[in-house]
């Protein structure tokens, strides 16, 4: 299978070659042809599968085939849940459109809006955006979405987790009802299926990995350990294994900060990346991690979504997620692009029920290991921790002032074609 056989035009093939890709990934093989045919696509794919190129390449081809309209209205809109992901999708768009006469822009909150407005003023064909800033700028009259032909929802499951349902409905009311829709999601919950019904029209279903199972290339290990011994066990694992780059997940922002401090005191360079950090601090942490100045990146689930960190050898669940699907997302950070990765989970008594839920979801039973000197506490309670500081499943966003009418397309059919 080659990129050429997927029906991509030469200027895109040239851009792909420049990226050094030789063969299309499974999601690219499955998603590109139906998108080029103009069909709606519902794709199951997580970060690391090459999904961004999977929708960006055919999207660019469709846009490039039609003449650029006067004043360049937004013709393709890509919605992402986080700023980091928006930035990464934008970077991908820039790379692949290198030899095309198409303009792209990215907009997200947390930074000054003026440079974004200036960029929009010149006209853009492709807009990558997070929902809040998009609606703000539309409300202020800085952009119009009335000419959108292709609508992409990236990481739709995370959008719902972050409470963006109303924003999505609002945005749907701003774009034409006749359009091509592409929706990407790592998991397929009931909520995702019902969102898909309102957005997509007779979508083609494509899957990169079987639903809710974990990638085979990833070695998964579970260590039972007393809660108060977790930090020292992590330090031992990092030092003994001489790990150069490790992504560590905590359940809470507070936990991420605390762990960073302790790692730093053990002379292991670490930085935290979570929702309370400014955009600048997050970018700095990620850059430090990528260029190996920072050995450990400690992240919460939401912050880690969409981070483009290729070939990560180790991922550690310092705390197990209370949402089992997050485990699948987390460990998907390792074992990419054919390389083997190891995902380790440090599990204390109170996380026992989380572990059981993960085993159920991923249809596997873990062998539980114990490291001498770091034994679990047999008297510890198995009652799960309170969820106060952690992430909630839905409605994590504070109350939304904007009122969105769910229009733009009405009730769409759920008549799937499976590829
Ligand atoms: P994504 O899942 O879109 O975040 O992509 C994950 C990583 O895979 C990115 O670093 C891409 O540059 C890379 N990638 C995408 N497509 C391919 C391909 N066909 N061959 C090799 N690497 C790829």
């Amino acid at each position: 299978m080659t990129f050429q056989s997927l029906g991509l035009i030469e200027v895109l093939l040239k851009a792909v070659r420049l990226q050094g890709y030789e063969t299309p990934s499974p999601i690219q093989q499955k998603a590109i042809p139906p998108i080029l045919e103009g069909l709606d696509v519902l794709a199951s794919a997580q970060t690391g599968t090459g999904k961004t190129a999977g929708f960006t390449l055919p999207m660019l081809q469709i846009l490039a085939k039609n003449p650029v309209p006067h004043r360049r209205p937004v013709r393709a809109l890509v919605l992402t849940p986080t700023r980091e992901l928006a930035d990464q999708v934008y970077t991908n768009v820039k790379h692949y459109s290198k030899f095309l006469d198409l303009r792209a822009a990215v907009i997200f909150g947390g930074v000054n809006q003026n440079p974004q407005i200036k960029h929009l003023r010149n006209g853009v064909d492709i807009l990558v955006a997070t929902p809040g800033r998009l609606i703000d700028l539309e409300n202020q009259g800085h952009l119009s979405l009335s000419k959108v032909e292709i609508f992409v929802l990236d990481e739709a499951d995370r959008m719902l987790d972050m409470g963006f349902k109303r924003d999505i409905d609002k945005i749907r009311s701003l774009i034409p009802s006749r359009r091509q829709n592409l929706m990407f999601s790592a998991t397929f919950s009931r909520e995702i299926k019902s969102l898909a019904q309102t957005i997509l029209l007779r979508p083609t279903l494509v899957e990169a990995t079987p639903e809710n199972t974990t990638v085979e290339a990833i070695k998964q290990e579970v260590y039972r350990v007393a809660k108060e011994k977790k930090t020292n066990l992590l330090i031992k694992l990092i030092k003994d294994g001489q790990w150069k780059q490790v992504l560590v997940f905590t359940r809470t922002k507070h936990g991420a900060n605390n762990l960073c401090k302790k790692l730093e005191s053990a002379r292991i360079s670490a930085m935290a990346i979570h929702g309370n950090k400014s955009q600048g601090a997050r970018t700095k942490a990620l850059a430090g991690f990528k260029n190996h100045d920072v050995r450990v990146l400690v992240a919460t689930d939401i912050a880690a979504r969409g981070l483009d960190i290729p070939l990560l050898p180790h991922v550690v669940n310092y705390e197990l997620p209370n949402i089992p699907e997050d485990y699948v997302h987390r460990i998907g950070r390792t074992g990419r692009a054919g390389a083997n990765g190891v995902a380790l989970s440090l599990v204390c008594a109170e996380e026992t029920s989380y572990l059981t839920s993960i085993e159920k979801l991923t249809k596997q039973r873990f062998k539980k290991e114990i490291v001498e000197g770091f034994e679990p506490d047999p008297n510890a309670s198995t009652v799960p921790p309170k969820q106060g500081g952690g992430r909630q499943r839905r409605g994590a966003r504070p109350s939304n002032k904007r009122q969105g009418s769910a229009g733009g397309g009405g009730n769409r059919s759920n008549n799937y074609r499976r590829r």
Side-chain angles (χ1 to χ4, degrees):
M1 178 70 81
T2 60
F3 278 101
Q4 199 165 16
S5 66
L6 296 176
L8 293 172
I9 52 179
E10 181 49 38
V11 275
L12 288 171
L13 296 174
K14 199 165 135 190
V16 164
R17 278 196 297 273
L18 214 58
Q19 291 301 305
Y21 307 160
E22 286 170 6
T23 46
S25 69
I27 193 72
Q28 292 162 0
Q29 294 178 23
K30 291 178 187 172
I32 292 175
I35 300 175
L36 283 177
E37 278 178 51
L39 299 171
D40 279 11
V41 166
L42 176 58
S44 156
Q46 46 181 295
T47 301
T49 55
K51 68 181 166 72
T52 318
F55 65 77
T56 306
L57 290 168
M59 176 180 86
L60 291 172
Q61 179 151 329
I62 292 168
L63 295 177
K65 286 215 157 160
N66 294 327
V68 175
H70 183 56
R71 299 174 78 115
R72 286 192 190 257
V74 175
R75 286 187 289 149
L77 173 65
V78 184
L79 273 192
T80 74
T82 62
R83 308 156 188 183
E84 284 83 8
L85 187 62
D87 218 23
Q88 281 161 28
V89 171
Y90 174 68
T91 306
N92 274 260
V93 170
K94 293 298 280 180
H95 283 149
Y96 305 135
S97 63
K98 203 175 166 68
F99 306 109
L100 290 168
D101 173 30
L102 291 171
R103 292 190 204 148
V106 60
I107 58 175
F108 46 72
V111 293
N112 186 341
Q113 65 174 30
N114 292 335
Q116 298 176 353
I117 295 167
K118 213 168 139 200
H119 201 158
L120 289 170
R121 219 173 272 149
N122 300 328
V124 294
D125 305 281
I126 304 138
L127 182 59
V128 185
T130 53
R133 178 58 61 92
L134 180 73
I135 294 173
D136 283 346
L137 294 189
E138 201 277 341
N139 274 344
Q140 295 171 45
H142 294 299
L143 63 95
S144 161
L145 299 174
S146 65
K147 301 281 185 236
V148 167
E149 297 163 20
I150 305 175
F151 179 48
V152 186
L153 260 188
D154 197 11
E155 301 203 347
D157 49 348
R158 191 52 46 137
M159 294 249 201
L160 293 185
D161 281 350
M162 291 173 74
F164 284 137
K165 175 74 175 68
R166 270 168 66 180
D167 285 353
I168 295 171
D169 287 342
K170 168 73 182 165
I171 292 161
R172 216 155 47 85
S173 75
L174 302 171
I175 56 182
S177 54
R178 254 180 83 93
R179 57 177 196 255
Q180 184 177 10
N181 301 284
L182 315 173
M183 188 164 140
F184 285 74
S185 182
T187 52
F188 271 123
S189 61
R190 213 164 6 119
E191 290 86 356
I192 281 293
K193 285 176 181 153
S194 103
L195 178 69
Q197 272 184 41
T198 63
I199 290 182
L200 302 148
L201 186 63
R202 286 192 294 283
T204 297
L205 274 189
V206 297
E207 287 173 71
T209 44
E211 193 172 338
N212 294 341
T213 56
T214 42
V215 189
E216 275 169 17
I218 302 167
K219 192 165 162 224
Q220 298 168 64
E221 294 175 357
V222 169
Y223 292 88
R224 302 281 338 204
V225 54
K227 190 175 179 178
E228 58 283 1
K229 291 181 185 161
K230 278 190 178 187
T231 307
N232 285 339
L233 176 56
L234 177 63
I235 291 169
K236 178 184 164 57
L237 290 168
I238 294 173
K239 288 194 169 168
D240 288 1
Q242 298 183 348
W243 297 348
K244 302 265 181 301
Q245 228 183 9
V246 51
L247 178 63
V248 176
F249 285 96
T250 58
R251 237 179 353 253
T252 66
K253 300 166 196 168
H254 181 65
N257 288 338
N258 259 345
L259 181 59
C260 262
K261 280 190 206 134
K262 288 180 188 158
L263 291 173
E264 288 282 348
S265 334
R267 309 180 78 79
I268 296 173
S269 57
M271 278 187 112
I273 187 160
H274 56 64
N276 280 7
K277 297 266 173 183
S278 69
Q279 182 61 21
R282 291 204 240 178
T283 310
K284 191 168 155 233
L286 190 57
F289 188 60
K290 279 185 174 176
N291 67 24
H292 295 268
D293 285 344
V294 176
R295 202 165 164 191
V296 183
L297 191 67
V298 186
T300 55
D301 290 284
I302 289 182
R305 287 286 289 194
L307 290 188
D308 186 21
I309 312 161
L311 298 176
L312 210 51
H314 297 101
V315 168
V316 173
N317 293 307
Y318 181 81
E319 289 157 335
L320 284 182
N322 51 311
I323 299 170
E325 285 87 352
D326 282 345
Y327 175 84
V328 181
H329 289 301
R330 288 180 178 189
I331 72 160
R333 298 330 200 112
T334 183
R336 286 175 169 195
N340 285 327
V342 184
L344 293 97
S345 301
L346 311 186
V347 184
C348 64
E350 63 183 33
E351 293 169 303
T352 305
S353 64
Y354 298 163
L355 187 62
T356 312
S357 306
I358 291 165
E359 288 183 326
K360 225 190 238 168
L361 177 79
T362 60
K363 301 189 180 71
Q364 61 184 329
R365 286 271 301 165
F366 295 114
K367 184 170 159 240
K368 283 93 184 170
E369 326 240 0
I370 292 173
V371 180
E372 208 185 317
F374 300 89
E375 290 80 3
D377 176 359
N379 301 317
S381 158
T382 53
V383 176
K386 278 207 192 91
Q387 293 310 318
R391 187 160 72 82
Q392 292 144 17
R393 205 167 228 295
R394 233 155 290 294
R397 253 184 133 218
S399 73
N400 197 333
K401 288 189 275 348
R402 307 178 203 100
Q403 283 298 323
S405 68
N411 207 4
R412 287 170 175 256
S413 167
N414 179 24
N415 191 0
Y416 297 140
R417 277 172 289 209
R418 192 175 280 270
R419 293 234 164 181

